Amino acid sequence: MAFDSFAAFIAMGGHAPYVWSSWVITLLLILGLVWHARFERRQLVESLKRRARRERARQQQGEQATVYPVDQGESS
Amino acid sequence: MWSFIHKLGSPKWFYRISAKLQPWFWVAAAGLIVVGTVWGLLFAPADYQQGNSFRIIYVHVPAAFLAQSIFVSMAVAGLVFMVWKIKVADMAAAVMAPLGAAMTFVSLFSGAVWGVPTWGTWWMWDARLTSMLILLFLYLGVIALRGAFTSRDSASRAASVLAMVGVINIPIIKYSVDWWYTLHQPATFTITSRPAMPMDMWLPLLMMVLGFYSFFIALTLMRTRNEILRRESNKRWVRELVEEAK
């Protein structure tokens, strides 16, 4: 361990503002990029699923629309 | 060999193989960066001249490496796209640009902050610093150019050409410290020669560099997959994939 105490670690021998600002900016950017990529993926998958659901619904409706008159004709 | 390249160029195949590769690079990136951070911040000995401000090296050097490597990768991907019309290469190039810009910013920022206690100034028009600033503008130019076209194909070709022309800046950055020896010191971290610092300082730096490279590969794989889903959303295999994932 290069430091005697936690306070000494935070103080960085008087260089705290330089060391910590560099590290914090870097790590925040990395985490932000990871978060963004995950968010992007979630959104894409969601919208693809939504589209698939919509298409399935429309297909079912279409089938009913063509089948329905025939059913009606038979029942009446 | 050729069939491998053609397969790699197929978005469907790339999507499948990258799913298998991705976790390994995430694990490597997280492991190396966490260990490198703890080692570099807590256990590496303070520099006898710079004291603890030298700990900035552990983010500054890996970020500067990535900034340059990503630009070269982007230019190569652009060339592959232009010559062989491989779409996946263009998608990879597209997602690399913001990461490269971020890494260039990190290296400039940490360098400026480091310069205050070390050189007594946060900025000078030194050759290394200036060529890195040009690199940042090149990245921003590539990103802006891609957004400036309504046709995707024109955008891809324009961005590829700018990346291929801009890559001339990379050797300038690399050799700037030898050609114009002004403020920035020459390379302190090389794989080929014996390290100029104690092992306790050098090993965490090596881990951070490898960790950053793993992060670059992992993020590029992940975002290229996103880009494939976006651009190929009407292809049958994507539709089948969505049906299966339902």
Side-chain angles (χ1 to χ4, degrees):
Chain A
M1 190 86 81
F3 300 94
D4 299 330
S5 63
F6 184 70
F9 171 63
I10 295 299
M12 279 287 157
H15 288 138
Y18 314 114
V19 174
W20 293 121
S21 63
S22 302
W23 274 84
V24 166
I25 289 275
T26 309
L27 295 181
L28 278 184
L29 257 173
I30 288 181
L31 290 177
L33 286 162
V34 174
W35 178 84
H36 167 251
R38 288 172 59 112
F39 177 76
E40 183 183 46
R41 176 163 178 90
R42 236 191 347 261
Q43 289 241 308
L44 275 163
V45 171
E46 268 311 302
S47 79
L48 285 174
K49 277 186 185 164
R50 227 179 297 126
R51 188 186 66 180
R53 267 201 303 273
R54 220 168 31 232
E55 277 171 3
R56 218 174 311 123
R58 200 178 306 137
Q59 234 168 34
Q60 278 166 1
Q61 262 178 6
E63 277 163 20
Q64 277 177 358
T66 51
V67 166
Y68 201 52
V70 179
D71 284 356
Q72 246 186 348
E74 277 175 356
S75 64
S76 62
Chain B
M1 179 69 192
W2 282 109
S3 74
F4 175 74
I5 288 179
H6 273 281
K7 268 203 232 155
L8 199 64
S10 131
K12 184 183 173 184
W13 192 82
F14 184 92
Y15 194 85
R16 235 185 32 218
I17 202 78
S18 58
K20 292 195 191 111
L21 288 173
Q22 212 193 158
W24 297 101
F25 286 105
W26 283 117
V27 168
L32 286 164
I33 291 176
V34 167
V35 175
T37 297
V38 172
W39 195 347
L41 279 178
L42 273 172
F43 293 97
D47 185 75
Y48 76 101
Q49 276 183 324
Q50 299 185 20
N52 284 308
S53 71
F54 103 97
R55 293 183 203 280
I56 294 172
I57 203 174
Y58 298 115
V59 290
H60 178 75
V61 167
F65 275 18
L66 271 201
Q68 298 169 68
S69 302
I70 293 174
F71 204 93
V72 174
S73 316
M74 210 170 68
V76 170
L79 182 77
V80 169
F81 170 70
M82 293 291 271
V83 174
W84 290 288
K85 299 276 165 245
I86 291 175
K87 277 186 286 177
V88 172
D90 179 56
M91 299 184 203
V95 303
M96 280 178 204
L99 176 60
M103 287 301 128
T104 313
F105 172 77
V106 162
S107 72
L108 281 168
F109 179 86
S110 58
V113 165
W114 198 0
V116 175
T118 315
W119 298 332
T121 178
W122 64 275
W123 186 262
M124 242 178 89
W125 294 99
D126 160 87
R128 171 60 71 85
L129 276 59
T130 308
S131 51
M132 276 306 271
L133 187 64
I134 292 172
L135 185 69
L136 180 63
F137 292 148
L138 279 169
Y139 272 121
L140 298 180
V142 168
I143 295 168
L145 203 56
R146 213 174 255 285
F149 289 84
T150 38
S151 139
R152 173 165 288 148
D153 196 53
S154 311
S156 301
R157 276 187 295 168
S160 303
V161 170
L162 182 56
M164 279 148 64
V165 173
V167 85
I168 189 69
N169 189 36
I170 298 298
I172 297 179
I173 295 175
K174 183 160 169 36
Y175 294 110
S176 58
V177 283
D178 305 323
W179 292 340
W180 305 280
Y181 187 79
T182 47
L183 186 63
H184 197 288
Q185 60 183 332
T188 43
F189 182 85
T190 48
I191 306 284
T192 44
S193 59
R194 245 176 57 106
M197 53 179 112
M199 269 298 156
D200 252 13
M201 284 183 178
W202 187 80
L203 278 177
L205 184 54
L206 178 69
M207 294 182 90
M208 288 301 270
V209 168
L210 295 177
F212 270 53
Y213 272 100
S214 308
F215 166 68
F216 159 49
I217 296 169
L219 191 76
T220 304
L221 287 177
M222 182 169 184
R223 291 207 59 220
T224 304
R225 289 161 59 76
N226 290 353
E227 196 67 17
I228 288 174
L229 284 186
R230 185 178 296 133
R231 292 198 200 176
E232 307 269 293
S233 60
N234 286 325
K235 294 278 162 65
R236 217 178 86 201
W237 72 269
V238 175
R239 286 170 180 275
E240 284 168 2
L241 204 75
V242 174
E243 285 297 319
E244 283 164 29
K246 181 176 56 178

